[in-house]
Every structure is written in structure tokens, then in C-alpha cells.
Amino acid sequence: MLPPVLNALEALAYVGRHLHPPNLPSLAGAVADNAEPVRTGLAQFKAADFPESFANFKDCVIRTAEHVLSAHERLDAAAGGMNGAMGGYRAMGEYTRAVQALYPVAAMLPPVSRFFVSKERRSDEALAAKLGAADGARAEVGIMIGPDANETSDGDDRRGGFALYVPEYYDATESYPLIVALHGGSGNGKSFLWTWLVEARTRGAILLSPTAIDRTWSLMGPDIDSANIEGMVKRVQERWNIDAGRMLLTGMSDGGTFSYVSGLREESPFTHLAPSSASFHPLLLEGMSRERLKGLPIYLMHGALDWMFPVDIARTANAALSAAGADVVYREIADLSHTWPRDENPRIVDWLMGN
């Protein structure tokens, strides 16, 4: 069961990285052959007789496989439909649910644990040993979901809440970088956590993925989100050992735009910013402290194929921020559309760590 599932997930991750509406038919066709082995394996797996003590393992694998198959079905429908972009994003939502369902199996089987490690570190025996020896049952490590009163319509996350990941091998005698990752419009932190979890688990970073209080971040009207996010950060700092010199605010689309809005404020606690596929207007810099902007490390990413926010927006942002004194790393990515560039994560962490 697991080899075809892992193969299919790798293929779907490729689709997510290269998701661009005109390319949907070719992407769907390129990964189509991965569905049938999962379907065949799932039928056999469901029929197998497992001891009661394996019930959680069996449930995790079944749910993973079902979400993988649903992702393929949605991807095929998007490739042949009129609203391909939104259909493609919904297919990637099923991919996210699949990795959510699979993650508990990482503590049970080394091949699954390696799946949740950056590809370039999967043969790192020292890292594998550290992960294998970690006690994931400790209350202060692993994935935690923060409460809030306002639940989304599908019950998948709570508005104004958060998802948090602390590496299972967390050691309170060491300090850890903090990555705060902001979802796109109408998204949620519980899903966006998976954009960064593999890199956080591999490199040893604490990862906080908040959910906007409203349907998206406070880009118009009063800023109701910055204080909420910074309250979360303060609670994380009180419980875990955070490296105060390596605190990254990053985000995708509306989340990238809000990383400007919130992160450029003089009172912002963040030492580094990394917006991707974001909107920007030079007026954002009006009223911002020159002292805050001077030398501020910003890793700015944008896709040349972005169909929602044309790449000229990022070029304007790069010029304006650089002129204002920020220390900008500008990455214009030729094959990137309006999606998160996961292959940039290792470079961003190297930059954050000062490597």
C-alpha cells in the first residue's frame, strides 16, 4: 500500500509546485498512472485483517489513500473543466488532507518518516537517528492546533486560531528559529502548515501557521490580525526557546501582502520577511519607519507566470524596498505561477540561518 501512496504524493507535490491553469491537462496526464496502483492497493489493504492494536495505523493509511484518489479525481475534473485554476487548488487541498492523514505514520515507519524530510537530507543517517529516537508523545512537541470561537464553514480550522509544529526532537537547552507562515485568501493555518512542515522538521525550526480572523488578512480597514499573530508569537516564546534573532514572517498571496503590512511596522517582532506571490504598492511604505526598513532582510519571491498578481508588481516592490534601504534578496522564478515555491524553502532557511 505505502509505496504507491508515497509515489503518488511525490507526483502530486510536483503538480502543486507547477500548478498553472494552461498546464493542467498536461500535469493531470503526467501523474494519471499513479492512481491505479493506489486504488488496487487500497482494496487489498481494506480487506486485510489487522490486530486491534493496528487500528489507528490502518485508519491513517486508508484515509491517506482515499484523499490521494480524490486529488486525482479533482485534478482530472479541473483539467477538463471551465474553472481549471480553482479546481486545481481544490485538488491540492485533497493532497494536503492526504499528508495530514499520513503524518502519524511517520512515527511508526522509517520510510514514511523519510518522506517528511527534505529530499536532500533523506539519506542523512544522523537526522534519521535523531527523528527515530525522538519522543513524539511529549506534550510540548509535534503538531498542535490552537482554539478560537469562530469555526470555518467546513470545520477544517478556526478563524483567528493557529496550527503549530515543534520538532519532535526539541531540546529546551537549544534555541530554535521561528517561522510564521501566513495562508492565502480564504485559506487556513491548519492547511498552510504543510507548506513548511518538512523544512521545519528537517532543519529544526518551530513553525507557527495562524488563521486570519476574517476570511482573509486585514488588507483593508483596521488591522485586526497583527495583534492576534503577535500574541501567538509571545505565547510561543514563553513556552519554547526561540532564537530572537531569527524570526521569519512569510506568506503566500494575501498572506504575502500581509507580511508586508504587518512585518514592516516598527513594532513588529520579526527579524526577516519572505513574501511570495504578493500584491504591493509603494504607498505601503508611506508612514513606515526608515529605521525599521534600513537593512531589514527581505526574501522576495514571485513567479513570472503569476496570473493573479503580475510579476511587475514584484519588480516594483524590489525597487521600492531596496531604495528604502531594505536588504532584499529578489527571486523571480521563471516556471512559477500563483502557488507556493516549495523548492525555495531550503534557500530561505539558509538565508534565515545566515548560511
Side-chain angles (χ1 to χ4, degrees):
M1 179 75 263
L2 284 171
V5 163
L6 295 178
N7 288 339
L9 287 172
E10 293 281 16
L12 288 168
Y14 176 88
V15 171
R17 163 60 180 83
H18 294 90
L19 192 64
H20 184 49
N23 298 343
L24 270 171
S26 61
L27 287 169
V31 302
D33 289 347
N34 289 294
E36 191 54 38
V38 174
R39 189 174 290 108
T40 300
L42 178 59
Q44 296 172 350
F45 192 83
K46 284 181 172 180
D49 186 18
F50 283 85
E52 185 60 32
S53 58
F54 280 72
N56 183 53
F57 166 77
K58 184 175 183 179
D59 176 64
C60 287
V61 174
I62 288 173
R63 287 189 293 111
T64 301
E66 289 175 341
H67 285 305
V68 165
L69 293 174
S70 180
H72 277 277
E73 291 167 2
R74 287 178 178 266
L75 189 59
D76 289 342
M82 296 294 293
N83 194 9
M86 294 303 106
Y89 289 138
R90 284 192 287 270
M92 291 304 101
E94 288 297 309
Y95 163 82
T96 299
R97 294 181 185 95
V99 294
Q100 286 175 339
L102 183 63
Y103 189 71
V105 182
M108 308 174 197
L109 291 175
V112 178
S113 182
R114 284 194 294 272
F115 175 80
F116 289 101
V117 167
S118 296
K119 288 183 178 180
E120 65 274 11
R121 297 285 299 278
R122 287 180 181 174
S123 60
D124 185 332
E125 295 301 328
L127 177 60
K130 184 163 69 169
L131 288 165
D135 180 8
R138 287 190 295 159
E140 73 275 17
V141 300
I143 297 171
M144 292 155 267
I145 305 298
D148 190 73
N150 302 315
E151 192 167 328
T152 59
S153 58
D154 61 4
D156 193 45
D157 200 6
R158 295 173 184 272
R159 307 314 302 180
F162 63 88
L164 175 71
Y165 170 75
V166 178
E168 289 84 350
Y169 49 81
Y170 171 78
D171 180 349
T173 66
E174 299 180 12
S175 61
Y176 290 74
L178 177 66
I179 298 169
V180 177
L182 306 183
H183 61 77
S186 75
N188 62 69
K190 184 178 176 182
S191 295
F192 200 66
L193 184 82
W194 298 95
T195 303
W196 271 99
L197 185 135
V198 166
E199 204 62 35
R201 187 173 188 257
T202 303
R203 300 292 292 274
I206 291 176
L207 171 62
L208 174 66
S209 187
T211 299
I213 291 173
D214 209 335
R215 299 302 298 180
T216 192
W217 303 100
S218 307
L219 301 176
M220 305 289 289
D223 180 355
I224 60 175
D225 286 300
S226 289
N228 191 40
I229 293 169
E230 290 164 18
M232 297 172 191
V233 169
K234 184 177 180 181
R235 294 195 294 276
V236 169
Q237 289 176 306
E238 289 169 350
R239 186 165 179 184
W240 292 277
N241 190 354
I242 300 298
D243 183 345
R246 291 178 173 84
M247 296 174 59
L248 170 66
L249 181 64
T250 184
M252 160 74 192
S253 193
D254 278 8
T257 306
F258 193 68
S259 69
Y260 287 133
V261 172
S262 185
L264 292 175
R265 295 158 43 249
E266 187 168 13
E267 61 270 30
S268 171
F270 296 102
T271 61
H272 295 68
L273 306 180
S276 183
S277 305
S279 181
F280 177 87
H281 193 282
L283 286 176
L284 275 173
L285 302 183
E286 293 294 323
M288 297 294 181
S289 164
R290 293 294 166 181
E291 289 73 22
R292 169 62 175 162
L293 288 165
K294 186 177 180 181
L296 178 66
I298 301 176
Y299 195 107
L300 172 55
M301 301 162 282
H302 210 97
L305 303 179
D306 196 314
W307 52 270
M308 184 170 288
F309 299 130
V311 70
D312 283 347
I313 292 174
R315 294 168 183 164
T316 298
N318 178 33
L321 291 163
S322 297
D327 183 6
V328 182
V329 175
Y330 179 61
R331 291 278 293 147
E332 186 172 309
I333 304 169
D335 66 346
L336 182 69
S337 185
H338 194 71
T339 189
W340 181 263
R342 296 193 183 201
D343 42 339
E344 286 295 310
N345 289 5
R347 299 184 187 98
I348 296 170
V349 175
D350 283 345
W351 167 78
L352 177 64
M353 300 284 201
N355 294 347

mmCIF file of all heavy atoms in Angstrom, residues 68-113:
data_model
loop_
_atom_site.group_PDB
_atom_site.id
_atom_site.type_symbol
_atom_site.label_atom_id
_atom_site.label_comp_id
_atom_site.label_asym_id
_atom_site.label_seq_id
_atom_site.Cartn_x
_atom_site.Cartn_y
_atom_site.Cartn_z
ATOM 1 N N VAL A 68 -5.708 10.759 -1.641
ATOM 2 C CA VAL A 68 -4.889 10.727 -2.858
ATOM 3 C C VAL A 68 -5.769 10.487 -4.088
ATOM 4 O O VAL A 68 -5.653 11.173 -5.109
ATOM 5 C CB VAL A 68 -3.798 9.642 -2.751
ATOM 6 C CG1 VAL A 68 -3.181 9.348 -4.120
ATOM 7 C CG2 VAL A 68 -2.712 10.063 -1.772
ATOM 8 N N LEU A 69 -6.666 9.512 -3.980
ATOM 9 C CA LEU A 69 -7.554 9.215 -5.110
ATOM 10 C C LEU A 69 -8.490 10.382 -5.395
ATOM 11 O O LEU A 69 -8.758 10.707 -6.563
ATOM 12 C CB LEU A 69 -8.344 7.943 -4.824
ATOM 13 C CG LEU A 69 -7.501 6.661 -4.764
ATOM 14 C CD1 LEU A 69 -8.353 5.472 -4.322
ATOM 15 C CD2 LEU A 69 -6.852 6.374 -6.115
ATOM 16 N N SER A 70 -8.973 11.029 -4.349
ATOM 17 C CA SER A 70 -9.829 12.199 -4.544
ATOM 18 C C SER A 70 -9.059 13.331 -5.219
ATOM 19 O O SER A 70 -9.607 14.040 -6.079
ATOM 20 C CB SER A 70 -10.392 12.666 -3.204
ATOM 21 O OG SER A 70 -11.222 13.798 -3.369
ATOM 22 N N ALA A 71 -7.773 13.499 -4.863
ATOM 23 C CA ALA A 71 -6.949 14.526 -5.506
ATOM 24 C C ALA A 71 -6.837 14.258 -7.004
ATOM 25 O O ALA A 71 -6.946 15.186 -7.825
ATOM 26 C CB ALA A 71 -5.567 14.569 -4.864
ATOM 27 N N HIS A 72 -6.636 13.005 -7.368
ATOM 28 C CA HIS A 72 -6.548 12.661 -8.788
ATOM 29 C C HIS A 72 -7.876 12.921 -9.506
ATOM 30 O O HIS A 72 -7.895 13.440 -10.631
ATOM 31 C CB HIS A 72 -6.140 11.196 -8.941
ATOM 32 C CG HIS A 72 -4.664 10.974 -8.841
ATOM 33 N ND1 HIS A 72 -3.819 11.152 -9.906
ATOM 34 C CD2 HIS A 72 -3.886 10.610 -7.799
ATOM 35 C CE1 HIS A 72 -2.576 10.897 -9.532
ATOM 36 N NE2 HIS A 72 -2.588 10.567 -8.256
ATOM 37 N N GLU A 73 -8.978 12.570 -8.855
ATOM 38 C CA GLU A 73 -10.282 12.798 -9.474
ATOM 39 C C GLU A 73 -10.535 14.288 -9.682
ATOM 40 O O GLU A 73 -11.009 14.709 -10.750
ATOM 41 C CB GLU A 73 -11.377 12.191 -8.594
ATOM 42 C CG GLU A 73 -11.356 10.659 -8.557
ATOM 43 C CD GLU A 73 -12.216 10.090 -7.449
ATOM 44 O OE1 GLU A 73 -12.867 10.892 -6.731
ATOM 45 O OE2 GLU A 73 -12.222 8.859 -7.284
ATOM 46 N N ARG A 74 -10.225 15.090 -8.689
ATOM 47 C CA ARG A 74 -10.425 16.540 -8.800
ATOM 48 C C ARG A 74 -9.485 17.148 -9.843
ATOM 49 O O ARG A 74 -9.862 18.081 -10.570
ATOM 50 C CB ARG A 74 -10.219 17.204 -7.441
ATOM 51 C CG ARG A 74 -11.356 16.948 -6.446
ATOM 52 C CD ARG A 74 -11.051 17.590 -5.098
ATOM 53 N NE ARG A 74 -12.133 17.402 -4.155
ATOM 54 C CZ ARG A 74 -13.108 18.263 -3.943
ATOM 55 N NH1 ARG A 74 -13.166 19.383 -4.652
ATOM 56 N NH2 ARG A 74 -14.044 18.029 -3.041
ATOM 57 N N LEU A 75 -8.271 16.620 -9.917
ATOM 58 C CA LEU A 75 -7.322 17.125 -10.898
ATOM 59 C C LEU A 75 -7.799 16.816 -12.315
ATOM 60 O O LEU A 75 -7.748 17.679 -13.205
ATOM 61 C CB LEU A 75 -5.950 16.505 -10.645
ATOM 62 C CG LEU A 75 -4.767 17.074 -11.428
ATOM 63 C CD1 LEU A 75 -4.583 18.561 -11.147
ATOM 64 C CD2 LEU A 75 -3.494 16.312 -11.073
ATOM 65 N N ASP A 76 -8.301 15.604 -12.522
ATOM 66 C CA ASP A 76 -8.844 15.242 -13.839
ATOM 67 C C ASP A 76 -10.027 16.128 -14.206
ATOM 68 O O ASP A 76 -10.158 16.577 -15.350
ATOM 69 C CB ASP A 76 -9.272 13.770 -13.843
ATOM 70 C CG ASP A 76 -8.085 12.822 -13.816
ATOM 71 O OD1 ASP A 76 -6.964 13.257 -14.136
ATOM 72 O OD2 ASP A 76 -8.282 11.647 -13.463
ATOM 73 N N ALA A 77 -10.903 16.383 -13.218
ATOM 74 C CA ALA A 77 -12.066 17.229 -13.476
ATOM 75 C C ALA A 77 -11.641 18.653 -13.797
ATOM 76 O O ALA A 77 -12.202 19.301 -14.691
ATOM 77 C CB ALA A 77 -12.999 17.215 -12.263
ATOM 78 N N ALA A 78 -10.622 19.152 -13.089
ATOM 79 C CA ALA A 78 -10.140 20.514 -13.339
ATOM 80 C C ALA A 78 -9.528 20.624 -14.728
ATOM 81 O O ALA A 78 -9.708 21.637 -15.426
ATOM 82 C CB ALA A 78 -9.120 20.907 -12.281
ATOM 83 N N ALA A 79 -8.821 19.578 -15.140
ATOM 84 C CA ALA A 79 -8.168 19.609 -16.453
ATOM 85 C C ALA A 79 -9.177 19.674 -17.593
ATOM 86 O O ALA A 79 -8.890 20.245 -18.649
ATOM 87 C CB ALA A 79 -7.285 18.378 -16.617
ATOM 88 N N GLY A 80 -10.352 19.109 -17.361
ATOM 89 C CA GLY A 80 -11.367 19.107 -18.406
ATOM 90 C C GLY A 80 -12.465 20.108 -18.204
ATOM 91 O O GLY A 80 -13.435 20.146 -18.970
ATOM 92 N N GLY A 81 -12.359 20.960 -17.160
ATOM 93 C CA GLY A 81 -13.438 21.887 -16.823
ATOM 94 C C GLY A 81 -13.148 23.311 -17.235
ATOM 95 O O GLY A 81 -12.072 23.648 -17.730
ATOM 96 N N MET A 82 -14.140 24.171 -16.994
ATOM 97 C CA MET A 82 -14.027 25.575 -17.373
ATOM 98 C C MET A 82 -13.282 26.386 -16.318
ATOM 99 O O MET A 82 -12.670 27.391 -16.634
ATOM 100 C CB MET A 82 -15.428 26.166 -17.581
ATOM 101 C CG MET A 82 -16.193 25.535 -18.727
ATOM 102 S SD MET A 82 -15.426 25.894 -20.328
ATOM 103 C CE MET A 82 -15.711 27.664 -20.439
ATOM 104 N N ASN A 83 -13.376 25.958 -15.044
ATOM 105 C CA ASN A 83 -12.766 26.719 -13.949
ATOM 106 C C ASN A 83 -11.555 25.962 -13.425
ATOM 107 O O ASN A 83 -11.501 25.525 -12.289
ATOM 108 C CB ASN A 83 -13.797 26.934 -12.833
ATOM 109 C CG ASN A 83 -13.348 27.987 -11.832
ATOM 110 O OD1 ASN A 83 -12.354 28.674 -12.052
ATOM 111 N ND2 ASN A 83 -14.072 28.095 -10.740
ATOM 112 N N GLY A 84 -10.555 25.797 -14.313
ATOM 113 C CA GLY A 84 -9.423 24.935 -14.008
ATOM 114 C C GLY A 84 -8.608 25.370 -12.818
ATOM 115 O O GLY A 84 -8.193 24.527 -12.020
ATOM 116 N N ALA A 85 -8.359 26.669 -12.664
ATOM 117 C CA ALA A 85 -7.498 27.125 -11.575
ATOM 118 C C ALA A 85 -8.071 26.741 -10.221
ATOM 119 O O ALA A 85 -7.384 26.146 -9.381
ATOM 120 C CB ALA A 85 -7.303 28.634 -11.660
ATOM 121 N N MET A 86 -9.352 27.065 -9.984
ATOM 122 C CA MET A 86 -9.953 26.752 -8.697
ATOM 123 C C MET A 86 -10.057 25.238 -8.492
ATOM 124 O O MET A 86 -9.843 24.728 -7.392
ATOM 125 C CB MET A 86 -11.344 27.397 -8.595
ATOM 126 C CG MET A 86 -11.316 28.918 -8.582
ATOM 127 S SD MET A 86 -10.286 29.625 -7.239
ATOM 128 C CE MET A 86 -8.849 30.192 -8.159
ATOM 129 N N GLY A 87 -10.356 24.509 -9.555
ATOM 130 C CA GLY A 87 -10.397 23.053 -9.457
ATOM 131 C C GLY A 87 -9.040 22.478 -9.119
ATOM 132 O O GLY A 87 -8.926 21.516 -8.351
ATOM 133 N N GLY A 88 -7.978 23.054 -9.690
ATOM 134 C CA GLY A 88 -6.629 22.603 -9.370
ATOM 135 C C GLY A 88 -6.284 22.848 -7.911
ATOM 136 O O GLY A 88 -5.686 21.991 -7.249
ATOM 137 N N TYR A 89 -6.677 24.012 -7.389
ATOM 138 C CA TYR A 89 -6.423 24.299 -5.982
ATOM 139 C C TYR A 89 -7.201 23.341 -5.072
ATOM 140 O O TYR A 89 -6.703 22.913 -4.024
ATOM 141 C CB TYR A 89 -6.787 25.747 -5.647
ATOM 142 C CG TYR A 89 -5.844 26.771 -6.230
ATOM 143 C CD1 TYR A 89 -6.335 27.942 -6.803
ATOM 144 C CD2 TYR A 89 -4.474 26.585 -6.227
ATOM 145 C CE1 TYR A 89 -5.487 28.895 -7.345
ATOM 146 C CE2 TYR A 89 -3.615 27.518 -6.768
ATOM 147 C CZ TYR A 89 -4.119 28.677 -7.328
ATOM 148 O OH TYR A 89 -3.274 29.614 -7.869
ATOM 149 N N ARG A 90 -8.429 22.994 -5.470
ATOM 150 C CA ARG A 90 -9.204 22.044 -4.665
ATOM 151 C C ARG A 90 -8.539 20.662 -4.680
ATOM 152 O O ARG A 90 -8.545 19.958 -3.673
ATOM 153 C CB ARG A 90 -10.644 21.974 -5.166
ATOM 154 C CG ARG A 90 -11.489 23.175 -4.749
ATOM 155 C CD ARG A 90 -12.964 22.945 -5.014
ATOM 156 N NE ARG A 90 -13.253 23.015 -6.445
ATOM 157 C CZ ARG A 90 -13.584 24.129 -7.086
ATOM 158 N NH1 ARG A 90 -13.647 25.279 -6.422
ATOM 159 N NH2 ARG A 90 -13.859 24.115 -8.381
ATOM 160 N N ALA A 91 -7.976 20.292 -5.818
ATOM 161 C CA ALA A 91 -7.245 19.019 -5.883
ATOM 162 C C ALA A 91 -6.055 19.039 -4.926
ATOM 163 O O ALA A 91 -5.784 18.054 -4.228
ATOM 164 C CB ALA A 91 -6.772 18.751 -7.311
ATOM 165 N N MET A 92 -5.366 20.163 -4.859
ATOM 166 C CA MET A 92 -4.232 20.265 -3.939
ATOM 167 C C MET A 92 -4.682 20.291 -2.484
ATOM 168 O O MET A 92 -3.936 19.900 -1.592
ATOM 169 C CB MET A 92 -3.408 21.515 -4.270
ATOM 170 C CG MET A 92 -2.665 21.410 -5.599
ATOM 171 S SD MET A 92 -1.567 19.960 -5.699
ATOM 172 C CE MET A 92 -2.580 18.829 -6.676
ATOM 173 N N GLY A 93 -5.923 20.726 -2.245
ATOM 174 C CA GLY A 93 -6.477 20.612 -0.896
ATOM 175 C C GLY A 93 -6.594 19.165 -0.465
ATOM 176 O O GLY A 93 -6.363 18.818 0.705
ATOM 177 N N GLU A 94 -6.952 18.277 -1.402
ATOM 178 C CA GLU A 94 -7.000 16.849 -1.096
ATOM 179 C C GLU A 94 -5.599 16.297 -0.847
ATOM 180 O O GLU A 94 -5.407 15.427 0.008
ATOM 181 C CB GLU A 94 -7.677 16.087 -2.241
ATOM 182 C CG GLU A 94 -9.167 16.310 -2.326
ATOM 183 C CD GLU A 94 -9.887 15.798 -1.096
ATOM 184 O OE1 GLU A 94 -9.664 14.625 -0.699
ATOM 185 O OE2 GLU A 94 -10.666 16.569 -0.502
ATOM 186 N N TYR A 95 -4.617 16.804 -1.569
ATOM 187 C CA TYR A 95 -3.227 16.408 -1.303
ATOM 188 C C TYR A 95 -2.843 16.773 0.131
ATOM 189 O O TYR A 95 -2.240 15.974 0.859
ATOM 190 C CB TYR A 95 -2.284 17.101 -2.292
ATOM 191 C CG TYR A 95 -0.837 17.075 -1.859
ATOM 192 C CD1 TYR A 95 -0.042 15.963 -2.081
ATOM 193 C CD2 TYR A 95 -0.271 18.176 -1.195
ATOM 194 C CE1 TYR A 95 1.275 15.928 -1.658
ATOM 195 C CE2 TYR A 95 1.044 18.149 -0.776
ATOM 196 C CZ TYR A 95 1.818 17.026 -1.010
ATOM 197 O OH TYR A 95 3.119 16.997 -0.575
ATOM 198 N N THR A 96 -3.192 17.991 0.553
ATOM 199 C CA THR A 96 -2.878 18.423 1.920
ATOM 200 C C THR A 96 -3.545 17.518 2.944
ATOM 201 O O THR A 96 -2.933 17.131 3.948
ATOM 202 C CB THR A 96 -3.307 19.880 2.122
ATOM 203 O OG1 THR A 96 -2.588 20.711 1.207
ATOM 204 C CG2 THR A 96 -3.033 20.341 3.534
ATOM 205 N N ARG A 97 -4.818 17.163 2.709
ATOM 206 C CA ARG A 97 -5.502 16.265 3.643
ATOM 207 C C ARG A 97 -4.844 14.888 3.677
ATOM 208 O O ARG A 97 -4.821 14.224 4.717
ATOM 209 C CB ARG A 97 -6.976 16.162 3.269
ATOM 210 C CG ARG A 97 -7.735 17.483 3.444
ATOM 211 C CD ARG A 97 -9.211 17.371 3.089
ATOM 212 N NE ARG A 97 -9.839 18.678 3.158
ATOM 213 C CZ ARG A 97 -10.021 19.491 2.123
ATOM 214 N NH1 ARG A 97 -9.636 19.108 0.904
ATOM 215 N NH2 ARG A 97 -10.591 20.665 2.280
ATOM 216 N N ALA A 98 -4.289 14.483 2.541
ATOM 217 C CA ALA A 98 -3.597 13.193 2.497
ATOM 218 C C ALA A 98 -2.355 13.211 3.381
ATOM 219 O O ALA A 98 -2.115 12.272 4.155
ATOM 220 C CB ALA A 98 -3.230 12.832 1.058
ATOM 221 N N VAL A 99 -1.535 14.259 3.279
ATOM 222 C CA VAL A 99 -0.320 14.288 4.097
ATOM 223 C C VAL A 99 -0.664 14.489 5.572
ATOM 224 O O VAL A 99 0.029 13.964 6.456
ATOM 225 C CB VAL A 99 0.687 15.341 3.594
ATOM 226 C CG1 VAL A 99 1.221 14.964 2.230
ATOM 227 C CG2 VAL A 99 0.120 16.737 3.581
ATOM 228 N N GLN A 100 -1.748 15.217 5.859
ATOM 229 C CA GLN A 100 -2.208 15.328 7.247
ATOM 230 C C GLN A 100 -2.545 13.952 7.811
ATOM 231 O O GLN A 100 -2.172 13.622 8.951
ATOM 232 C CB GLN A 100 -3.458 16.215 7.328
ATOM 233 C CG GLN A 100 -3.210 17.691 7.163
ATOM 234 C CD GLN A 100 -4.509 18.486 7.131
ATOM 235 O OE1 GLN A 100 -5.582 17.958 6.852
ATOM 236 N NE2 GLN A 100 -4.413 19.779 7.384
ATOM 237 N N ALA A 101 -3.256 13.153 7.031
ATOM 238 C CA ALA A 101 -3.656 11.820 7.489
ATOM 239 C C ALA A 101 -2.454 10.903 7.640
ATOM 240 O O ALA A 101 -2.423 10.033 8.525
ATOM 241 C CB ALA A 101 -4.663 11.218 6.514
ATOM 242 N N LEU A 102 -1.449 11.072 6.782
ATOM 243 C CA LEU A 102 -0.287 10.179 6.791
ATOM 244 C C LEU A 102 0.704 10.495 7.899
ATOM 245 O O LEU A 102 1.417 9.597 8.363
ATOM 246 C CB LEU A 102 0.420 10.262 5.433
ATOM 247 C CG LEU A 102 1.623 9.335 5.217
ATOM 248 C CD1 LEU A 102 1.196 7.871 5.267
ATOM 249 C CD2 LEU A 102 2.316 9.647 3.897
ATOM 250 N N TYR A 103 0.759 11.747 8.341
ATOM 251 C CA TYR A 103 1.844 12.157 9.236
ATOM 252 C C TYR A 103 1.992 11.291 10.488
ATOM 253 O O TYR A 103 3.125 10.985 10.886
ATOM 254 C CB TYR A 103 1.713 13.628 9.624
ATOM 255 C CG TYR A 103 2.930 14.125 10.351
ATOM 256 C CD1 TYR A 103 4.133 14.303 9.666
ATOM 257 C CD2 TYR A 103 2.906 14.374 11.716
ATOM 258 C CE1 TYR A 103 5.270 14.730 10.328
ATOM 259 C CE2 TYR A 103 4.040 14.799 12.378
ATOM 260 C CZ TYR A 103 5.228 14.978 11.689
ATOM 261 O OH TYR A 103 6.354 15.386 12.351
ATOM 262 N N PRO A 104 0.928 10.856 11.150
ATOM 263 C CA PRO A 104 1.130 9.999 12.332
ATOM 264 C C PRO A 104 1.906 8.720 12.036
ATOM 265 O O PRO A 104 2.557 8.163 12.930
ATOM 266 C CB PRO A 104 -0.302 9.685 12.792
ATOM 267 C CG PRO A 104 -1.116 10.829 12.288
ATOM 268 C CD PRO A 104 -0.496 11.198 10.967
ATOM 269 N N VAL A 105 1.868 8.247 10.797
ATOM 270 C CA VAL A 105 2.573 7.016 10.435
ATOM 271 C C VAL A 105 4.082 7.245 10.409
ATOM 272 O O VAL A 105 4.867 6.299 10.479
ATOM 273 C CB VAL A 105 2.056 6.471 9.085
ATOM 274 C CG1 VAL A 105 2.733 5.165 8.693
ATOM 275 C CG2 VAL A 105 0.546 6.266 9.152
ATOM 276 N N ALA A 106 4.524 8.511 10.329
ATOM 277 C CA ALA A 106 5.959 8.810 10.336
ATOM 278 C C ALA A 106 6.632 8.308 11.607
ATOM 279 O O ALA A 106 7.812 7.943 11.585
ATOM 280 C CB ALA A 106 6.186 10.312 10.179
ATOM 281 N N ALA A 107 5.891 8.289 12.708
ATOM 282 C CA ALA A 107 6.453 7.796 13.969
ATOM 283 C C ALA A 107 6.481 6.269 14.030
ATOM 284 O O ALA A 107 7.098 5.701 14.933
ATOM 285 C CB ALA A 107 5.645 8.338 15.147
ATOM 286 N N MET A 108 5.820 5.602 13.068
ATOM 287 C CA MET A 108 5.707 4.145 13.075
ATOM 288 C C MET A 108 6.630 3.473 12.066
ATOM 289 O O MET A 108 7.124 2.377 12.317
ATOM 290 C CB MET A 108 4.258 3.734 12.766
ATOM 291 C CG MET A 108 3.207 4.401 13.630
ATOM 292 S SD MET A 108 1.517 3.964 13.052
ATOM 293 C CE MET A 108 0.542 5.237 13.844
ATOM 294 N N LEU A 109 6.866 4.142 10.917
ATOM 295 C CA LEU A 109 7.614 3.505 9.836
ATOM 296 C C LEU A 109 8.691 4.462 9.297
ATOM 297 O O LEU A 109 8.374 5.577 8.863
ATOM 298 C CB LEU A 109 6.681 3.119 8.683
ATOM 299 C CG LEU A 109 5.683 1.985 8.958
ATOM 300 C CD1 LEU A 109 4.749 1.810 7.772
ATOM 301 C CD2 LEU A 109 6.417 0.680 9.245
ATOM 302 N N PRO A 110 9.954 4.045 9.289
ATOM 303 C CA PRO A 110 11.038 4.907 8.788
ATOM 304 C C PRO A 110 10.833 5.412 7.359
ATOM 305 O O PRO A 110 11.154 6.580 7.085
ATOM 306 C CB PRO A 110 12.281 4.014 8.903
ATOM 307 C CG PRO A 110 11.965 3.099 10.041
ATOM 308 C CD PRO A 110 10.488 2.814 9.928
ATOM 309 N N PRO A 111 10.308 4.620 6.404
ATOM 310 C CA PRO A 111 10.129 5.177 5.055
ATOM 311 C C PRO A 111 9.170 6.367 5.026
ATOM 312 O O PRO A 111 9.353 7.289 4.235
ATOM 313 C CB PRO A 111 9.573 3.984 4.250
ATOM 314 C CG PRO A 111 10.025 2.776 4.986
ATOM 315 C CD PRO A 111 9.995 3.173 6.426
ATOM 316 N N VAL A 112 8.150 6.326 5.883
ATOM 317 C CA VAL A 112 7.222 7.459 5.942
ATOM 318 C C VAL A 112 7.884 8.645 6.632
ATOM 319 O O VAL A 112 7.699 9.795 6.234
ATOM 320 C CB VAL A 112 5.915 7.052 6.646
ATOM 321 C CG1 VAL A 112 4.967 8.244 6.759
ATOM 322 C CG2 VAL A 112 5.240 5.919 5.888
ATOM 323 N N SER A 113 8.689 8.377 7.655
ATOM 324 C CA SER A 113 9.429 9.461 8.298
ATOM 325 C C SER A 113 10.342 10.154 7.298
ATOM 326 O O SER A 113 10.437 11.394 7.276
ATOM 327 C CB SER A 113 10.259 8.909 9.463
ATOM 328 O OG SER A 113 10.942 9.956 10.133
#
